[in-house]
Amino acid sequence: MIAAILVLHLSVTAYGVTGSGEIAVDKTTGKFVRRFDAGPVSEQEGFDGRRAWRADATGMARIEGNAGERSEILAWSRALASAIRAQQPAGGALRITIAGATDHVTLSFDRYRTFGTLRVPTRIVSQSEQNGSWTATVQSWNQTRSRPDFFAPPAMLPRDFRLTATTRVPVSMSGGSPVITATVNGKQLQFLLDTGGQNVLTEAAAKDLGLHLLGRGTVGGGGGGTASIRYATVQTVDIGGAELFHQPFIVLPANALPGGIDGIVGYELLARFAARLDMAHGTLELAPAATAFGPPVAPAAFVYLDRQPQVNGSLDSAAGAFSIDTGSSLTAQIQTPAVRKYDLVNRLHATVAAYANDVGGRYPIYLVRAGAMRLGSALFPAPIVDLLVRASTSNNSSIVGNVGDGILKRWVLVFDYAHQIVDFRPGGDTAGNVIHDHSGMVVTAESDALVIEQVLGGTPAADAGLKEGARITSIDGNAVGGKDLDRVRTLLRADPGTKIALTLADGSTHQLVLRQYL
């Protein structure tokens, strides 16, 4: 039997940008598709009965294999089918909440009208905790019969890129994550290379490029909060000999990225070109196909967690999915649900309390040393990892952990997004993932002063009563200032048992007894 499909033709205001769209649903099977045409915020998603998928503003499609992302798309389909079968509640809208892996979305359906034998909502409003809101208003509708490709993802690659031969560009790891130079609309800018990141610019970079900004949205981070964003379109992005054209970008506030970083490139770049990333030796190579880098060595199949690669692996007894995140300078962050499920605070004897920073602010973690981490067939012995211990929407219950550069730089990574493979090759930094400090505090230079930026719980610095924000004026009776930062950090790496006297700006003196705390 060929099922009838209801197609709603829409006017759309998506994250503050106006456009058009359509939503189609097969009322008997639950298959659905949503397409918005709204400039740089255009998007598509759907479920064809087997695959849950999304496509970005360029039309580049990806199959969502992560359990949480797939569940969110299927929940959208069920919500739409329920709304079409329902009657509008007296005096209000029908509201349905979708709880995804990292987001909560509230859908409102109202202004019901009768179309033939159907009662259909003519206004749909989506409010996402992580991404902002959109409103779709039904302008017309029709029913049609199913075709094999009606709910399928776009099949064609967008014709918005060019690369004829392998190209190599230098990579800076000075901030702990890979940073490359890209030429955007003729101007050189510094970009963080983030495997799952969208195209991003800071407001300052967008202003310098003279871009026209559109709309208003939000984006979430590891801190559990959100930052406001706007949207723009860039004409050209050149990275070595690789070229991208007419690319959508989100625009973040100036303080959302580390100093000196103008933006982020990641998914859009890697979905179009194969890449070989050697963080230990500071190089990124891009090629039309992964065969340019020779046969695979330790390949791991991945599925998409939104735009981010997700591989199967384990941390000691905690087995499951791990996201691969070159945009994180941390080691691996084990998500709160996994920490609780496997009782990792107790099993790994977590005593070193700290915090990390992200777009959403700072959030508490424990630093621990585990027995081993496995990603596919690649093994990392005795890794230092972070345990997340606070429940928030930024914690992803569908993965065990998010793996950052403190782990990933151990390998030379070959990314083959076309075939959804990450190859963990030897040749990286096998001496990394080590805590050299024996004090338990993070010291930075501000103007001509040395400032204690963070004190880790359960460490010599905490035992000595040192507090965040304190200014160090002398060490062992010798005056120190901002110019002495490297020398002071070296002193704090002295042998365990070494005693160091720190005098602070308030005149107090504190004695540190250094020890290896991880």
Side-chain angles (χ1 to χ4, degrees):
M1 175 180 176
I2 301 177
I5 298 169
L6 175 67
V7 184
L8 307 177
H9 304 281
L10 314 166
S11 63
V12 173
T13 301
Y15 317 112
V17 183
T18 58
S20 60
E22 70 174 18
I23 293 175
V25 59
D26 185 321
K27 302 183 298 297
T28 60
T29 66
K31 298 176 184 178
F32 99 105
V33 66
R34 176 173 65 87
R35 301 183 181 95
F36 287 174
D37 184 4
V41 301
S42 299
E43 60 185 15
Q44 304 176 54
E45 70 176 12
F47 173 63
D48 66 0
R50 182 172 59 90
R51 300 169 297 178
W53 59 271
R54 291 193 176 105
D56 60 19
T58 70
M60 177 70 80
R62 59 192 183 275
I63 308 303
E64 295 293 353
N66 169 267
E69 298 295 319
R70 177 181 168 86
S71 175
E72 185 174 324
I73 293 172
L74 268 62
W76 217 108
S77 172
R78 290 191 295 270
L80 184 61
S82 296
I84 291 172
R85 289 194 298 266
Q87 298 289 322
Q88 179 178 348
L94 173 67
R95 289 184 171 83
I96 298 175
T97 299
I98 297 174
T102 61
D103 195 10
H104 287 79
V105 179
T106 299
L107 296 173
S108 297
F109 302 90
D110 65 1
R111 299 181 183 175
Y112 276 71
R113 289 177 56 194
T114 300
F115 293 118
T117 60
L118 295 175
R119 288 284 289 171
V120 176
T122 61
R123 186 174 68 169
I124 305 170
V125 179
S126 170
Q127 182 66 50
S128 161
E129 290 183 355
Q130 297 287 310
N131 299 314
S133 64
W134 56 257
T135 300
T137 303
V138 177
Q139 300 298 315
S140 63
W141 72 283
N142 66 280
Q143 293 195 79
T144 185
R145 293 191 178 276
S146 184
R147 303 190 309 267
D149 62 342
F150 195 92
F151 298 101
M156 296 294 293
L157 285 176
R159 297 183 178 181
D160 60 0
F161 62 98
R162 180 169 58 232
L163 178 61
T164 57
T166 301
T167 186
R168 176 182 291 189
V169 296
V171 170
S172 170
M173 295 295 296
S174 59
S177 288
V179 174
I180 60 175
T181 300
T183 302
V184 179
N185 289 1
K187 293 190 176 184
Q188 285 195 343
L189 299 173
Q190 299 302 301
F191 284 87
L192 179 68
L193 179 65
D194 181 350
T195 41
Q198 290 178 255
N199 288 334
V200 170
L201 285 167
T202 64
E203 285 181 341
K207 182 178 179 180
D208 188 45
L209 291 166
L211 299 180
H212 176 56
L213 303 187
L214 299 170
R216 296 281 180 184
T218 58
V219 64
T226 59
S228 62
I229 60 174
R230 303 199 71 190
Y231 307 91
T233 300
V234 162
Q235 295 307 308
T236 59
V237 180
D238 297 295
I239 300 171
E243 299 175 276
L244 297 170
F245 315 108
H246 201 67
Q247 291 293 299
F249 274 74
I250 65 174
V251 180
L252 288 173
N255 62 355
L257 294 177
I261 303 299
D262 299 303
I264 296 171
V265 291
Y267 168 76
E268 288 87 351
L269 179 73
L270 299 174
R272 289 158 173 80
F273 309 113
R276 181 182 182 273
L277 176 61
D278 185 347
M279 288 183 268
H281 300 95
T283 61
L284 170 69
E285 294 175 277
L286 301 172
T291 52
F293 305 126
V297 177
F302 75 77
V303 298
Y304 280 110
L305 191 172
D306 196 15
R307 294 171 174 83
Q308 195 169 49
Q310 170 190 301
V311 303
N312 286 328
S314 62
L315 179 78
D316 294 351
S317 62
F322 289 78
S323 51
I324 305 300
D325 185 5
T326 61
S328 169
S329 62
L330 303 174
T331 56
Q333 291 200 313
I334 310 306
Q335 305 294 289
T336 301
V339 171
R340 292 175 175 175
K341 177 180 179 180
Y342 294 99
D343 193 25
L344 295 181
V345 170
N346 291 318
R347 288 190 179 188
L348 296 177
H349 310 291
T351 58
V352 179
Y355 66 81
N357 293 289
D358 204 343
V359 170
R362 75 182 200 176
Y363 50 97
I365 61 174
Y366 279 109
L367 297 176
V368 298
R369 186 179 292 279
M373 172 174 281
R374 179 181 57 81
L375 300 171
S377 62
L379 189 67
F380 195 131
I384 296 171
V385 301
D386 304 345
L387 303 183
L388 298 181
V389 291
R390 185 183 70 184
S392 76
T393 56
S394 61
N395 267 278
N396 193 331
S397 60
S398 67
I399 60 173
V400 174
N402 184 67
V403 184
D405 299 316
I407 298 287
L408 296 175
K409 66 184 178 182
R410 181 181 182 87
W411 299 284
V412 176
L413 301 170
V414 173
F415 296 105
D416 182 1
Y417 279 39
H419 299 95
Q420 294 184 212
I421 296 290
V422 180
D423 192 10
F424 296 87
R425 301 186 179 186
D429 178 14
T430 57
N433 196 230
V434 174
I435 298 292
H436 297 286
D437 166 71
H438 290 147
S439 71
M441 64 180 177
V442 179
V443 180
T444 59
E446 292 183 9
S447 299
D448 193 35
L450 288 178
V451 179
I452 300 175
E453 181 179 290
Q454 184 176 174
V455 174
L456 309 183
T459 66
D463 295 343
L466 294 166
K467 303 295 183 183
E468 294 175 12
R471 292 173 176 256
I472 303 171
T473 57
S474 71
I475 294 182
D476 291 336
N478 300 310
V480 293
K483 65 181 182 300
D484 301 304
L485 179 61
D486 289 342
R487 181 169 66 86
V488 169
R489 285 177 171 171
T490 299
L491 288 174
L492 298 178
R493 296 171 180 172
D495 292 339
T498 301
K499 297 180 179 180
I500 297 177
L502 273 65
T503 301
L504 307 181
D506 63 3
S508 63
T509 298
H510 303 255
Q511 181 167 277
L512 284 173
V513 181
L514 302 184
R515 73 171 186 270
Q516 185 172 341
Y517 53 86
L518 279 175

